[in-house]
Amino acid sequence: MRFDFVTVAFAQDLPMLRLQARSMALYLDAAAAGQILVVDNGVAGDGFPVAFAREVMPEYGWLAPRVRLLAGAEVQDYAGAAHAGRGWRRQQGLKLDVHRVVESEAYVTLDCKNHFIRPTDASAFMEEGRLRMPPRGVQPGHMGAFRYFGVAEESWPEVIFGISTPFPMWRAEVEALDEALRARGLASAGMLPVSDDSVVEYRVYCAFLQACRGGWEAGHVLSQPPAVSFHGQGEDQLADFLSRLDRPGMRIMGVHRRAGWAAPAVKAAIIGQWMGFGLVRDAAEGETFLTPPAGARRPV
């Protein structure tokens, strides 16, 4: 099966986006790759489109003809309505609204931090015709989307979808989710229902399937995708990350841009992995991907 791949990005993501593009050219199976959709989540005049064309597009190599850079407005079909907030919250909305330009039956959403490290075909995202969804145990603080759709606590499942990337979604289900939210008075799925931080894009998708589509079992299976991410900056989290990364079945690694502020030893370990997987030529080049752009703010 072929998937469109979607990454929502802004100017501070450019270094990691470059590395993602390079990794896709190296490791993504041609039969699995449809469109590569990059959605600009920046502000007008920030130079992102020009920088993307100059710095990122060449890294896609053979995939370049499949790449489309989209302004946020290109995936919205409603006028006079702004996404709820900007930045992180708007990024979530764009991952849902992009269904309007997706051409494949299912699409895979990535964050800029996701880099392919071993040959990756459709089996990374699909198992026996169902999408592989990261599992997460239920915690009351995560269930705002279920409450929004009226799922009583006694009917909550024991396990729900995790919210890590890569995260695949059926385009038709996101379209149905969009229609359901419009019926509730929202401009689109990308508006997201409430300001509750537990109501994020992937949990809205999960809750909608449970509440309105008879459950997710027909099209989804709880099966941890072969991906692992390093979200922190400290050496205490590094050992587990490196151990999991060493497993032959692991195909995608994630390095959050906050690693740009990590200690030199942590950076060196990450760069060593990139070198081992052929993503960077040497330590000096690796350092360029972990050096925050001028004016970048340290993520919390």
Side-chain angles (χ1 to χ4, degrees):
M1 179 170 172
R2 179 167 288 190
F3 294 88
D4 285 358
F5 289 83
V6 175
T7 303
V8 181
F10 74 125
Q12 291 187 20
D13 290 326
L14 280 166
M16 289 299 183
L17 187 59
R18 280 182 57 215
L19 197 62
Q20 180 180 100
R22 183 181 297 184
S23 75
M24 295 175 88
L26 280 172
Y27 291 118
L28 189 57
D29 180 66
Q35 297 182 101
I36 310 298
L37 304 173
V38 179
V39 185
D40 182 358
N41 188 30
V43 297
D46 66 359
F48 183 90
V50 173
F52 178 84
R54 181 182 64 246
E55 301 173 19
V56 182
M57 184 64 89
E59 301 284 5
Y60 284 106
W62 66 273
L63 277 168
R66 307 186 190 189
V67 177
R68 294 175 62 189
L69 176 64
L70 303 166
E74 292 181 72
V75 301
Q76 304 164 7
D77 70 347
Y78 49 95
H83 279 278
R86 297 195 66 82
W88 173 72
R89 180 61 82 175
R90 185 169 185 258
Q91 177 192 51
Q92 295 173 39
L94 289 169
K95 290 177 183 178
L96 298 176
D97 279 343
V98 77
H99 77 85
R100 300 187 183 97
V101 293
V102 165
E103 296 177 351
S104 56
E105 287 185 70
Y107 64 101
V108 177
T109 55
L110 302 170
D111 287 333
C112 291
K113 67 173 181 285
N114 298 129
H115 310 124
F116 294 77
I117 57 173
R118 294 183 177 94
T120 303
D121 59 16
S123 67
F125 315 108
M126 176 166 282
E127 186 174 310
E128 297 181 350
R130 296 188 292 170
L131 299 181
R132 298 179 63 179
M133 314 307 290
R136 180 83 179 248
V138 166
Q139 298 179 27
H142 296 162
M143 304 302 285
F146 282 75
R147 295 187 183 96
Y148 175 80
F149 281 110
V151 181
E153 186 169 350
E154 57 269 20
S155 299
W156 288 352
E158 294 183 1
V159 183
I160 57 175
F161 298 165
I163 58 173
S164 59
T165 53
F167 191 99
M169 293 183 282
W170 292 108
R171 178 182 51 79
E173 296 291 10
V174 180
E175 182 178 6
L177 166 62
D178 195 357
E179 293 173 356
L181 293 179
R182 287 170 184 267
R184 289 167 173 254
L186 297 184
S188 82
M191 295 297 290
L192 298 179
V194 295
S195 59
D196 180 351
D197 282 347
S198 76
V199 183
V200 295
E201 76 281 62
Y202 300 140
R203 291 196 179 116
V204 169
Y205 179 75
C206 178
F208 168 73
L209 294 170
Q210 177 74 11
C212 306
R213 306 293 275 184
W216 60 69
E217 291 80 1
H220 309 76
V221 59
L222 296 173
S223 174
Q224 186 64 51
V228 59
S229 292
F230 180 69
H231 292 97
Q233 300 174 21
E235 294 186 46
D236 55 331
Q237 300 169 320
L238 187 63
D240 179 64
F241 170 70
L242 295 178
S243 174
R244 295 172 64 190
L245 199 60
D246 195 45
R247 299 172 186 172
M250 201 63 68
R251 301 185 228 180
I252 301 170
M253 70 182 289
V255 178
H256 194 281
R257 61 188 176 86
R258 66 169 59 94
W261 286 266
V266 173
K267 286 188 175 184
I270 292 170
I271 292 169
Q273 293 297 317
W274 286 342
M275 291 171 60
F277 292 119
L279 298 185
V280 299
R281 293 186 298 272
D282 51 36
E285 186 187 28
E287 188 67 36
T288 67
F289 291 104
L290 282 179
T291 300
R297 293 174 295 177
R298 182 172 181 163
V300 296

